Amino acid sequence: MQKTSAALTPGLIAIVGFLTLCPVVMLILGSFSGELGAFGAFTLDKYVAAYTDPAFAEILVSTVIFTLGSALVATGLALFLAYLNTRTNIPGKFMFGVISLIPMMVPHILFAVSWVLLLNPSNGMINLFLRQLGLEGAALNIYSLTGMILVEGLLDLPIAYLVIAPAMSAFDVALEESSRVCGASNARTLFRVTLPVLRPAILAALTLVIVRSLASFAVPSVIGMPGRIYVLATHIYSIVATGYAADYGMAAAVGMSALAASITLIVLYRRLTREGEKYVTISSRGYRPSVIDLKGARYPLFAVVALISFVLIVLPILVLFYTSLVPYVMTPGAKAFAAMSWRHWVTVLKDPVSLLALKNSLFLGVGGATLGILLSFFVACVIVKVRTKASGLLESLSFLSFSFPGIVVGIGFMWFFVQTPLYSTIWALLIGYIATYLPYGLRPLTSAFVQIHSHLEESSRVCGGGPLYTMRRIVLPLLVPGIASGWILMATMFVRELSLSVVLSRPGTEVLAVQILRFAEDGLWGRLSALGILMIFISTALVVIADGIAKRLSRRG
Amino acid sequence: MEIRVRNVSKFYYSEGKRIEALVDVNLVIPSNRIFTLLGPSGCGKTTLLRCIVGLESPDSGEIAIGDEVVFSAEKGIFVPPDRRGLGMVFQTYAIWPHMNVFDNVAYPLQARNERQEEIARKVARALHFVQLDGFEKRPATKLSGGQQQRVALARALVAEPKVILFDEPLSNLDAKLREETRKELRRFLTELRITAVYVTHDQIEALALSDDIAVMRNGRIVETGTPREIYFDSDRQFVADFIGHANFIPGTVAATGESGTRVDSAIGPIACAKKTGAAPGQAVTVCIRPEFIHVHTDGRGDGENVFRGKVESLVFVGDACEGEIRIGETVLLFRIDPTAAVREGEEIALQFDPRHCTILMS
């Protein structure tokens, strides 16, 4: 197997290298070119135009405030939750596991939309309710930087939590205990010992959330654009999607700075997580977390956690489902319940574009994830089994795209696909998806490969099983859980994909998230909600089916 | 079946450095014996085993199992492990976690496409042999360490190989279970009359289990012999030191004769009963194991090889007391009955058994 894998390496480097480097190279070439058609003639015009635009400074400031703000919100909440989970006797600890799984469940665009439905100044449900109480005008306005930061912060909370919680639970309690013995109070220990020791993890979480919010398109487009607040991602989008003529050269020139910022931040993140190992001490022997008794604060703090879980999971789905049933936005009550009907659902299911989007997204989810996992399988095999310079190169290449903002990758691919017959076909989207989300399939598969001890394969060989027989009866069955979670991750990401699709999707290749964005732009909230619930349903169904098949397969041997 | 290893060498390259795993190893493993490769970690014993089984291929030399040459660098022969027809028990047992006990044991037969009834019969027999009757349906993950070890053994035996190989199979068991399993394994292997190659770094395991032992160091075979030969008669300091405890006393040969050799040392003349090729005046080292030092608690003692010294330390280890005694500048280890009336700081006399004073050439 090792020899076959080694032989595969050059081919895989070519495929993965193409997928990750093609958009970058095309972006660079495109930024120095004129229009999509006038490819190749060197010019600096687009850079001059992009960076001398008087609005650009404001966009830059908004981007910095938006990304930093959401990073602070997400990391602060994550610290609070991780501390409660690992260090205190708070009841209902299962909820923390749920919170870290949210990104699987509610697509970002739907989460953002549900907040718009609750808090938009003209007919947000909470605002309508406050008006009924006698408050004049719009009490709360979601279409603001604060609104964007809060929503994005909540969305990125799980990522920050996944970085901070392990560091927090691996923390050597003796450090805290010695501080307590020295006479420091709980609070003093927290601020003088615990937080400083966790600094690398905290900084890593901040950096990761900044990268994510820089790439985020759902929140800036659904919440920012109606309030005329533009960040880099929406600025790029507006250059190619609104106005008289799409200017892909200028979009590429702007995209270059987003890409450069992302890569810098990811390099910083890698350095921080490497440094982290130095600080955080994992003592496997006799590890016993000292639990702080919250006493009277137990249940109030539990209520806070419960509220956060509710806001993250239940509320968006409730709001969407409610909105899909009422004829127009109204506060829940007798009148609303009387007016409920399946009208929006029927409209959506009769709308040819929505149906096409459903079909396309389902195809991209199932087909894309299957192809993506196939590629991930071979790449993971080489990364884990073959330890050469070439496999190291393959590893760096395949995790590179993790740092690329989707919309920028989309612009880069646009420059490429327009030269090929793939332009405006569903295959363009498929290739773009796999290129951008390869790390999602690769991460679970590499860890699955690592977990198969070489003795398990070797003993099959000694028992008389040839290489293929060993692959079929030992390696593949043991990989099934990794394959399943990789497939599920990719499929759910593909079904909801937005930031890449807004650039690559053309008439005929609409996908669900883009169709939802169109509905949002037109204010068709009822149809949007019905389609959104369908989207959540499809994702959930794919997860359940894939999980069921995997369970059945791995039970056999 | 006999295994012949001829001029086998194997090198690794790690961070630009060449590491010699095996250097020109020549070895004949006789058929139907339990043959142990013994040595400290990194001595190349596992690499040699993996070369025999075919999981690694040497850089040079030739390996033959019975009449078949399974590896030859010169002739470009490499028979893959699945065609060598061997059985092997891995250090980690390598029990496949996604299968039950039956499928784990049946695997070698299934790989050869044997008939269902035949498979069922052979698996039942193998499981009976390792005393796991009725465990067929048990998932592999629901087994204790000792049971996993037996399943691994049953799987290695089920296809009736002519040779079975063991890679430190007892090292993951706790001390008590290890001792029991060792005895059982000895019984199994004697019953089967099969060629067994056993790799371990544990000298007690090697001595208790083997018919023959090859001691390895730095990729070379240092010495081969029966456990008794290796323990009592080794004339190499590394072997004597690695197996059991030993005192080494430097000296010069004073006289040789029919009754043995006399060596002058810092603690006085030592009489050694064994014959050696050493000539008078030659510098040698006398090796005496702690258990062959007799302690005279009355402080008297007479005859040859009697030395007097002060007990420097005495540690009670359960079945014995282990002590250090100082004679002039020399400190020697000794073992006595735990109930003996010896105390730290006391002057005692001790006597070496001349039959167990081995002379090592320097």
Side-chain angles (χ1 to χ4, degrees), chain A residues 3 453-467 469-470 473-474 477-478 554-557, chain B residues 50 53 55 80-83 86-88 90-92 94-99 103 107-108 110-111 155 167:
Chain A
K3 276 178 200 150
H453 196 286
S454 60
H455 283 175
L456 294 178
E457 275 172 72
E458 288 175 356
S459 76
S460 162
R461 296 300 308 277
V462 177
C463 283
Y469 191 80
T470 303
R473 288 212 51 197
I474 308 294
L478 289 174
S554 59
R555 233 180 277 132
R556 252 185 260 152
Chain B
R50 289 170 64 86
V53 81
L55 291 170
D82 42 301
R83 306 238 180 84
L86 309 174
M88 179 163 172
F90 287 77
Q91 185 176 11
T92 57
I95 299 299
W96 298 302
H98 59 300
M99 295 180 184
D103 282 327
Y107 191 91
Q110 291 165 348
R155 183 176 65 191
D167 184 11

Tab-separated table of all heavy atoms in Angstrom, chain A residues 3 453-467 469-470 473-474 477-478 554-557, chain B residues 50 53 55 80-83 86-88 90-92 94-99 103 107-108 110-111 155 167:
chain	number	residue	atom	x	y	z
A	3	LYS	N	3.790	1.576	-1.291
A	3	LYS	CA	4.394	1.823	-2.598
A	3	LYS	C	3.386	2.442	-3.563
A	3	LYS	O	3.691	3.377	-4.276
A	3	LYS	CB	4.936	0.506	-3.166
A	3	LYS	CG	6.326	0.215	-2.639
A	3	LYS	CD	6.835	-1.122	-3.166
A	3	LYS	CE	7.959	-1.617	-2.272
A	3	LYS	NZ	8.031	-3.062	-2.219
A	453	HIS	N	-3.592	1.476	13.510
A	453	HIS	CA	-2.224	1.072	13.829
A	453	HIS	C	-1.693	0.203	12.692
A	453	HIS	O	-2.410	-0.646	12.168
A	453	HIS	CB	-2.238	0.282	15.131
A	453	HIS	CG	-0.883	0.140	15.742
A	453	HIS	ND1	0.066	-0.697	15.234
A	453	HIS	CD2	-0.318	0.751	16.807
A	453	HIS	CE1	1.161	-0.608	15.961
A	453	HIS	NE2	0.943	0.272	16.933
A	454	SER	N	-0.430	0.427	12.316
A	454	SER	CA	0.132	-0.308	11.186
A	454	SER	C	0.078	-1.819	11.418
A	454	SER	O	-0.014	-2.586	10.466
A	454	SER	CB	1.563	0.142	10.938
A	454	SER	OG	2.340	-0.109	12.085
A	455	HIS	N	0.091	-2.241	12.696
A	455	HIS	CA	0.026	-3.678	12.969
A	455	HIS	C	-1.267	-4.307	12.443
A	455	HIS	O	-1.283	-5.482	12.091
A	455	HIS	CB	0.123	-3.941	14.481
A	455	HIS	CG	1.517	-3.815	14.999
A	455	HIS	ND1	1.816	-3.912	16.328
A	455	HIS	CD2	2.684	-3.588	14.367
A	455	HIS	CE1	3.126	-3.762	16.491
A	455	HIS	NE2	3.660	-3.553	15.324
A	456	LEU	N	-2.362	-3.526	12.421
A	456	LEU	CA	-3.639	-4.082	11.977
A	456	LEU	C	-3.568	-4.499	10.512
A	456	LEU	O	-4.099	-5.537	10.117
A	456	LEU	CB	-4.764	-3.074	12.185
A	456	LEU	CG	-5.080	-2.733	13.634
A	456	LEU	CD1	-6.162	-1.690	13.719
A	456	LEU	CD2	-5.489	-3.968	14.411
A	457	GLU	N	-2.881	-3.668	9.698
A	457	GLU	CA	-2.700	-4.018	8.296
A	457	GLU	C	-1.677	-5.135	8.156
A	457	GLU	O	-1.882	-6.082	7.396
A	457	GLU	CB	-2.167	-2.812	7.523
A	457	GLU	CG	-3.211	-1.861	7.034
A	457	GLU	CD	-2.544	-0.632	6.468
A	457	GLU	OE1	-1.960	-0.739	5.383
A	457	GLU	OE2	-2.587	0.419	7.119
A	458	GLU	N	-0.590	-4.998	8.889
A	458	GLU	CA	0.494	-5.964	8.747
A	458	GLU	C	0.034	-7.366	9.139
A	458	GLU	O	0.385	-8.342	8.497
A	458	GLU	CB	1.683	-5.538	9.616
A	458	GLU	CG	2.398	-4.337	9.044
A	458	GLU	CD	3.498	-3.830	9.953
A	458	GLU	OE1	3.658	-4.368	11.061
A	458	GLU	OE2	4.194	-2.891	9.555
A	459	SER	N	-0.781	-7.449	10.197
A	459	SER	CA	-1.182	-8.783	10.613
A	459	SER	C	-2.101	-9.407	9.564
A	459	SER	O	-2.097	-10.617	9.385
A	459	SER	CB	-1.823	-8.753	11.993
A	459	SER	OG	-3.106	-8.256	11.941
A	460	SER	N	-2.851	-8.576	8.846
A	460	SER	CA	-3.665	-9.121	7.762
A	460	SER	C	-2.768	-9.688	6.660
A	460	SER	O	-3.047	-10.750	6.113
A	460	SER	CB	-4.567	-8.033	7.191
A	460	SER	OG	-5.039	-8.409	5.923
A	461	ARG	N	-1.679	-8.973	6.374
A	461	ARG	CA	-0.760	-9.469	5.345
A	461	ARG	C	-0.159	-10.804	5.765
A	461	ARG	O	-0.104	-11.746	4.994
A	461	ARG	CB	0.371	-8.462	5.089
A	461	ARG	CG	-0.068	-7.126	4.536
A	461	ARG	CD	-0.770	-7.225	3.208
A	461	ARG	NE	-0.036	-7.969	2.195
A	461	ARG	CZ	0.916	-7.466	1.434
A	461	ARG	NH1	1.250	-6.202	1.547
A	461	ARG	NH2	1.530	-8.209	0.533
A	462	VAL	N	0.278	-10.887	7.037
A	462	VAL	CA	0.886	-12.131	7.512
A	462	VAL	C	-0.140	-13.260	7.498
A	462	VAL	O	0.186	-14.411	7.242
A	462	VAL	CB	1.476	-11.938	8.931
A	462	VAL	CG1	2.045	-13.243	9.455
A	462	VAL	CG2	2.541	-10.866	8.919
A	463	CYS	N	-1.423	-12.919	7.762
A	463	CYS	CA	-2.484	-13.929	7.775
A	463	CYS	C	-2.835	-14.404	6.372
A	463	CYS	O	-3.775	-15.171	6.200
A	463	CYS	CB	-3.738	-13.384	8.439
A	463	CYS	SG	-3.612	-13.343	10.224
A	464	GLY	N	-2.176	-13.884	5.363
A	464	GLY	CA	-2.413	-14.366	4.017
A	464	GLY	C	-3.300	-13.470	3.176
A	464	GLY	O	-3.695	-13.848	2.081
A	465	GLY	N	-3.657	-12.299	3.689
A	465	GLY	CA	-4.468	-11.369	2.918
A	465	GLY	C	-3.583	-10.519	2.023
A	465	GLY	O	-2.659	-9.881	2.505
A	466	GLY	N	-3.839	-10.504	0.721
A	466	GLY	CA	-3.066	-9.672	-0.193
A	466	GLY	C	-3.384	-8.208	0.028
A	466	GLY	O	-4.268	-7.874	0.815
A	467	PRO	N	-2.687	-7.290	-0.684
A	467	PRO	CA	-2.907	-5.851	-0.475
A	467	PRO	C	-4.368	-5.426	-0.676
A	467	PRO	O	-4.917	-4.684	0.133
A	467	PRO	CB	-2.005	-5.192	-1.517
A	467	PRO	CG	-1.012	-6.226	-1.887
A	467	PRO	CD	-1.625	-7.557	-1.662
A	469	TYR	N	-7.125	-7.369	-0.648
A	469	TYR	CA	-7.955	-8.042	0.345
A	469	TYR	C	-7.862	-7.296	1.680
A	469	TYR	O	-8.878	-7.040	2.334
A	469	TYR	CB	-7.465	-9.484	0.496
A	469	TYR	CG	-8.394	-10.380	1.291
A	469	TYR	CD1	-9.526	-10.947	0.708
A	469	TYR	CD2	-8.124	-10.663	2.619
A	469	TYR	CE1	-10.357	-11.770	1.425
A	469	TYR	CE2	-8.954	-11.490	3.353
A	469	TYR	CZ	-10.079	-12.043	2.760
A	469	TYR	OH	-10.905	-12.856	3.482
A	470	THR	N	-6.642	-6.896	2.054
A	470	THR	CA	-6.428	-6.139	3.292
A	470	THR	C	-7.169	-4.814	3.242
A	470	THR	O	-7.808	-4.410	4.218
A	470	THR	CB	-4.916	-5.887	3.477
A	470	THR	OG1	-4.249	-7.137	3.477
A	470	THR	CG2	-4.644	-5.172	4.777
A	473	ARG	N	-11.044	-5.628	3.556
A	473	ARG	CA	-11.580	-6.189	4.792
A	473	ARG	C	-11.098	-5.476	6.053
A	473	ARG	O	-11.749	-5.556	7.095
A	473	ARG	CB	-11.232	-7.679	4.879
A	473	ARG	CG	-12.060	-8.473	3.877
A	473	ARG	CD	-12.376	-9.855	4.348
A	473	ARG	NE	-12.949	-9.919	5.689
A	473	ARG	CZ	-12.988	-11.017	6.403
A	473	ARG	NH1	-12.450	-12.116	5.948
A	473	ARG	NH2	-13.538	-11.029	7.599
A	474	ILE	N	-9.935	-4.844	6.004
A	474	ILE	CA	-9.415	-4.213	7.225
A	474	ILE	C	-9.450	-2.691	7.136
A	474	ILE	O	-10.095	-2.026	7.940
A	474	ILE	CB	-7.968	-4.683	7.527
A	474	ILE	CG1	-7.888	-6.207	7.533
A	474	ILE	CG2	-7.455	-4.085	8.823
A	474	ILE	CD1	-8.653	-6.881	8.651
A	477	PRO	N	-13.173	-0.833	6.208
A	477	PRO	CA	-14.156	-0.850	7.309
A	477	PRO	C	-13.740	0.012	8.496
A	477	PRO	O	-14.580	0.645	9.127
A	477	PRO	CB	-14.214	-2.327	7.709
A	477	PRO	CG	-13.763	-3.074	6.519
A	477	PRO	CD	-12.780	-2.191	5.832
A	478	LEU	N	-12.425	0.051	8.776
A	478	LEU	CA	-11.977	0.855	9.907
A	478	LEU	C	-12.027	2.348	9.593
A	478	LEU	O	-12.089	3.179	10.487
A	478	LEU	CB	-10.558	0.461	10.323
A	478	LEU	CG	-10.445	-0.906	10.995
A	478	LEU	CD1	-8.982	-1.266	11.223
A	478	LEU	CD2	-11.190	-0.907	12.313
A	554	SER	N	-19.915	-0.256	9.138
A	554	SER	CA	-18.795	-0.535	10.033
A	554	SER	C	-19.116	-1.701	10.959
A	554	SER	O	-18.235	-2.266	11.582
A	554	SER	CB	-18.422	0.710	10.847
A	554	SER	OG	-19.517	1.128	11.605
A	555	ARG	N	-20.397	-2.078	11.051
A	555	ARG	CA	-20.717	-3.235	11.876
A	555	ARG	C	-20.312	-4.530	11.159
A	555	ARG	O	-19.943	-5.494	11.773
A	555	ARG	CB	-22.217	-3.242	12.217
A	555	ARG	CG	-22.448	-3.367	13.713
A	555	ARG	CD	-23.911	-3.367	14.060
A	555	ARG	NE	-24.455	-2.036	14.142
A	555	ARG	CZ	-25.592	-1.675	13.555
A	555	ARG	NH1	-26.256	-2.540	12.813
A	555	ARG	NH2	-26.063	-0.464	13.688
A	556	ARG	N	-20.406	-4.476	9.809
A	556	ARG	CA	-19.926	-5.625	9.069
A	556	ARG	C	-18.410	-5.626	9.073
A	556	ARG	O	-17.771	-4.658	9.422
A	556	ARG	CB	-20.434	-5.552	7.626
A	556	ARG	CG	-21.508	-6.583	7.349
A	556	ARG	CD	-21.872	-6.552	5.890
A	556	ARG	NE	-23.077	-5.813	5.633
A	556	ARG	CZ	-23.325	-5.180	4.486
A	556	ARG	NH1	-22.421	-5.145	3.562
A	556	ARG	NH2	-24.456	-4.566	4.295
A	557	GLY	N	-17.791	-6.700	8.649
A	557	GLY	CA	-16.328	-6.663	8.650
A	557	GLY	C	-15.731	-7.325	7.450
A	557	GLY	O	-16.283	-8.230	6.920
B	50	ARG	N	10.841	-8.939	11.490
B	50	ARG	CA	10.024	-8.400	10.405
B	50	ARG	C	10.604	-8.748	9.032
B	50	ARG	O	9.862	-8.858	8.058
B	50	ARG	CB	9.872	-6.886	10.555
B	50	ARG	CG	8.965	-6.503	11.739
B	50	ARG	CD	9.025	-5.013	12.035
B	50	ARG	NE	8.506	-4.217	10.942
B	50	ARG	CZ	7.229	-3.918	10.777
B	50	ARG	NH1	6.352	-4.338	11.646
B	50	ARG	NH2	6.827	-3.207	9.747
B	53	VAL	N	9.436	-12.364	8.431
B	53	VAL	CA	8.024	-12.501	8.115
B	53	VAL	C	7.669	-11.791	6.796
B	53	VAL	O	6.650	-12.076	6.185
B	53	VAL	CB	7.160	-12.012	9.293
B	53	VAL	CG1	7.032	-10.510	9.297
B	53	VAL	CG2	5.798	-12.660	9.278
B	55	LEU	N	7.618	-8.296	6.357
B	55	LEU	CA	7.062	-6.948	6.479
B	55	LEU	C	8.124	-5.902	6.172
B	55	LEU	O	7.822	-4.738	5.968
B	55	LEU	CB	6.494	-6.737	7.886
B	55	LEU	CG	5.240	-7.561	8.161
B	55	LEU	CD1	4.867	-7.509	9.627
B	55	LEU	CD2	4.089	-7.075	7.306
B	80	PRO	N	6.052	-11.870	-0.816
B	80	PRO	CA	5.308	-10.984	0.093
B	80	PRO	C	4.800	-11.758	1.314
B	80	PRO	O	4.643	-12.988	1.235
B	80	PRO	CB	4.152	-10.472	-0.764
B	80	PRO	CG	4.041	-11.425	-1.895
B	80	PRO	CD	5.403	-11.980	-2.126
B	81	PRO	N	4.541	-11.059	2.421
B	81	PRO	CA	4.188	-11.744	3.674
B	81	PRO	C	2.976	-12.660	3.532
B	81	PRO	O	2.936	-13.711	4.168
B	81	PRO	CB	3.898	-10.608	4.643
B	81	PRO	CG	3.784	-9.377	3.815
B	81	PRO	CD	4.596	-9.610	2.601
B	82	ASP	N	2.004	-12.262	2.673
B	82	ASP	CA	0.794	-13.079	2.571
B	82	ASP	C	1.037	-14.406	1.855
B	82	ASP	O	0.178	-15.270	1.835
B	82	ASP	CB	-0.350	-12.297	1.907
B	82	ASP	CG	0.110	-11.484	0.725
B	82	ASP	OD1	0.989	-10.615	0.927
B	82	ASP	OD2	-0.381	-11.692	-0.383
B	83	ARG	N	2.222	-14.578	1.240
B	83	ARG	CA	2.502	-15.853	0.569
B	83	ARG	C	3.550	-16.664	1.316
B	83	ARG	O	4.051	-17.653	0.806
B	83	ARG	CB	3.011	-15.590	-0.857
B	83	ARG	CG	2.081	-14.713	-1.650
B	83	ARG	CD	1.605	-15.384	-2.932
B	83	ARG	NE	0.725	-14.483	-3.635
B	83	ARG	CZ	1.178	-13.522	-4.460
B	83	ARG	NH1	2.468	-13.391	-4.690
B	83	ARG	NH2	0.315	-12.724	-5.055
B	86	LEU	N	3.132	-17.944	7.222
B	86	LEU	CA	3.593	-17.925	8.611
B	86	LEU	C	2.470	-17.455	9.525
B	86	LEU	O	1.458	-16.932	9.075
B	86	LEU	CB	4.791	-16.980	8.751
B	86	LEU	CG	5.938	-17.197	7.761
B	86	LEU	CD1	6.975	-16.109	7.916
B	86	LEU	CD2	6.566	-18.563	7.997
B	87	GLY	N	2.659	-17.639	10.824
B	87	GLY	CA	1.739	-17.070	11.807
B	87	GLY	C	2.512	-16.091	12.651
B	87	GLY	O	3.712	-16.270	12.879
B	88	MET	N	1.832	-15.005	13.075
B	88	MET	CA	2.567	-14.028	13.876
B	88	MET	C	1.675	-13.421	14.932
B	88	MET	O	0.503	-13.147	14.691
B	88	MET	CB	3.124	-12.930	12.971
B	88	MET	CG	3.876	-11.852	13.735
B	88	MET	SD	4.921	-10.868	12.636
B	88	MET	CE	5.470	-9.585	13.743
B	90	PHE	N	1.502	-10.102	17.243
B	90	PHE	CA	2.105	-8.776	17.331
B	90	PHE	C	2.118	-8.278	18.772
B	90	PHE	O	1.323	-8.714	19.593
B	90	PHE	CB	1.334	-7.777	16.463
B	90	PHE	CG	1.548	-7.967	14.997
B	90	PHE	CD1	0.913	-8.986	14.330
B	90	PHE	CD2	2.366	-7.112	14.286
B	90	PHE	CE1	1.100	-9.165	12.963
B	90	PHE	CE2	2.559	-7.276	12.922
B	90	PHE	CZ	1.924	-8.315	12.269
B	91	GLN	N	3.004	-7.326	19.005
B	91	GLN	CA	3.110	-6.739	20.345
B	91	GLN	C	1.783	-6.123	20.777
B	91	GLN	O	1.385	-6.224	21.923
B	91	GLN	CB	4.210	-5.674	20.337
B	91	GLN	CG	4.459	-5.096	21.702
B	91	GLN	CD	5.622	-4.122	21.707
B	91	GLN	OE1	6.128	-3.721	20.656
B	91	GLN	NE2	6.050	-3.741	22.887
B	92	THR	N	1.088	-5.478	19.814
B	92	THR	CA	-0.199	-4.852	20.142
B	92	THR	C	-1.352	-5.831	19.945
B	92	THR	O	-2.504	-5.438	20.016
B	92	THR	CB	-0.440	-3.651	19.219
B	92	THR	OG1	-0.374	-4.117	17.871
B	92	THR	CG2	0.595	-2.573	19.419
B	94	ALA	N	-2.863	-6.654	17.550
B	94	ALA	CA	-3.467	-6.367	16.240
B	94	ALA	C	-4.774	-7.117	16.040
B	94	ALA	O	-5.026	-7.686	14.982
B	94	ALA	CB	-2.473	-6.674	15.119
B	95	ILE	N	-5.606	-7.153	17.060
B	95	ILE	CA	-6.951	-7.723	16.934
B	95	ILE	C	-7.798	-6.683	16.218
B	95	ILE	O	-7.834	-5.523	16.621
B	95	ILE	CB	-7.546	-8.014	18.330
B	95	ILE	CG1	-6.685	-9.023	19.079
B	95	ILE	CG2	-8.982	-8.523	18.209
B	95	ILE	CD1	-6.569	-10.357	18.421
B	96	TRP	N	-8.473	-7.073	15.152
B	96	TRP	CA	-9.257	-6.102	14.377
B	96	TRP	C	-10.516	-5.712	15.132
B	96	TRP	O	-11.383	-6.569	15.395
B	96	TRP	CB	-9.569	-6.689	13.008
B	96	TRP	CG	-8.326	-6.965	12.248
B	96	TRP	CD1	-7.360	-6.056	11.927
B	96	TRP	CD2	-7.866	-8.217	11.753
B	96	TRP	NE1	-6.335	-6.673	11.261
B	96	TRP	CE2	-6.617	-7.991	11.132
B	96	TRP	CE3	-8.384	-9.497	11.759
B	96	TRP	CZ2	-5.884	-8.992	10.536
B	96	TRP	CZ3	-7.644	-10.511	11.160
B	96	TRP	CH2	-6.417	-10.257	10.562
B	97	PRO	N	-10.632	-4.432	15.484
B	97	PRO	CA	-11.713	-4.002	16.384
B	97	PRO	C	-13.105	-4.086	15.757
B	97	PRO	O	-14.093	-4.087	16.481
B	97	PRO	CB	-11.340	-2.550	16.707
B	97	PRO	CG	-10.486	-2.106	15.581
B	97	PRO	CD	-9.751	-3.315	15.117
B	98	HIS	N	-13.195	-4.160	14.423
B	98	HIS	CA	-14.519	-4.160	13.800
B	98	HIS	C	-15.057	-5.565	13.593
B	98	HIS	O	-16.096	-5.746	12.987
B	98	HIS	CB	-14.479	-3.391	12.476
B	98	HIS	CG	-13.499	-3.960	11.497
B	98	HIS	ND1	-12.155	-4.055	11.763
B	98	HIS	CD2	-13.661	-4.458	10.258
B	98	HIS	CE1	-11.542	-4.586	10.724
B	98	HIS	NE2	-12.435	-4.844	9.797
B	99	MET	N	-14.340	-6.570	14.083
B	99	MET	CA	-14.785	-7.951	13.886
B	99	MET	C	-14.960	-8.629	15.243
B	99	MET	O	-14.359	-8.219	16.226
B	99	MET	CB	-13.721	-8.741	13.118
B	99	MET	CG	-13.480	-8.262	11.712
B	99	MET	SD	-12.205	-9.297	10.976
B	99	MET	CE	-12.010	-8.489	9.402
B	103	ASP	N	-14.513	-13.992	13.500
B	103	ASP	CA	-13.980	-13.455	12.242
B	103	ASP	C	-12.488	-13.166	12.340
B	103	ASP	O	-11.747	-13.328	11.368
B	103	ASP	CB	-14.744	-12.195	11.840
B	103	ASP	CG	-16.091	-12.533	11.220
B	103	ASP	OD1	-16.175	-13.576	10.560
B	103	ASP	OD2	-17.052	-11.763	11.418
B	107	TYR	N	-10.013	-15.317	9.853
B	107	TYR	CA	-9.478	-14.487	8.769
B	107	TYR	C	-8.450	-15.187	7.864
B	107	TYR	O	-8.598	-15.168	6.637
B	107	TYR	CB	-8.908	-13.208	9.360
B	107	TYR	CG	-8.555	-12.142	8.370
B	107	TYR	CD1	-9.482	-11.174	7.993
B	107	TYR	CD2	-7.290	-12.082	7.792
B	107	TYR	CE1	-9.156	-10.197	7.083
B	107	TYR	CE2	-6.961	-11.111	6.876
B	107	TYR	CZ	-7.900	-10.166	6.527
B	107	TYR	OH	-7.590	-9.198	5.623
B	108	PRO	N	-7.437	-15.826	8.448
B	108	PRO	CA	-6.439	-16.462	7.553
B	108	PRO	C	-7.069	-17.527	6.661
B	108	PRO	O	-6.633	-17.714	5.522
B	108	PRO	CB	-5.446	-17.102	8.534
B	108	PRO	CG	-5.641	-16.385	9.812
B	108	PRO	CD	-7.080	-15.980	9.869
B	110	GLN	N	-10.351	-17.538	5.698
B	110	GLN	CA	-11.200	-16.826	4.737
B	110	GLN	C	-10.358	-16.251	3.599
B	110	GLN	O	-10.769	-16.263	2.442
B	110	GLN	CB	-11.983	-15.712	5.437
B	110	GLN	CG	-13.051	-16.233	6.388
B	110	GLN	CD	-13.573	-15.160	7.327
B	110	GLN	OE1	-13.000	-14.079	7.423
B	110	GLN	NE2	-14.659	-15.464	8.036
B	111	ALA	N	-9.171	-15.735	3.961
B	111	ALA	CA	-8.298	-15.154	2.931
B	111	ALA	C	-7.890	-16.212	1.917
B	111	ALA	O	-7.583	-15.897	0.782
B	111	ALA	CB	-7.067	-14.523	3.583
B	155	ARG	N	-5.405	-17.007	16.157
B	155	ARG	CA	-5.383	-16.578	14.766
B	155	ARG	C	-4.067	-16.972	14.093
B	155	ARG	O	-4.035	-17.339	12.917
B	155	ARG	CB	-5.575	-15.055	14.701
B	155	ARG	CG	-5.630	-14.513	13.297
B	155	ARG	CD	-5.909	-13.037	13.289
B	155	ARG	NE	-4.816	-12.282	13.899
B	155	ARG	CZ	-4.892	-10.998	14.210
B	155	ARG	NH1	-5.992	-10.332	13.982
B	155	ARG	NH2	-3.873	-10.377	14.748
B	167	ASP	N	6.290	-11.120	18.493
B	167	ASP	CA	7.006	-9.862	18.704
B	167	ASP	C	6.611	-9.306	20.071
B	167	ASP	O	5.581	-8.664	20.192
B	167	ASP	CB	6.665	-8.875	17.584
B	167	ASP	CG	7.457	-7.586	17.706
B	167	ASP	OD1	8.395	-7.557	18.515
B	167	ASP	OD2	7.125	-6.629	16.998
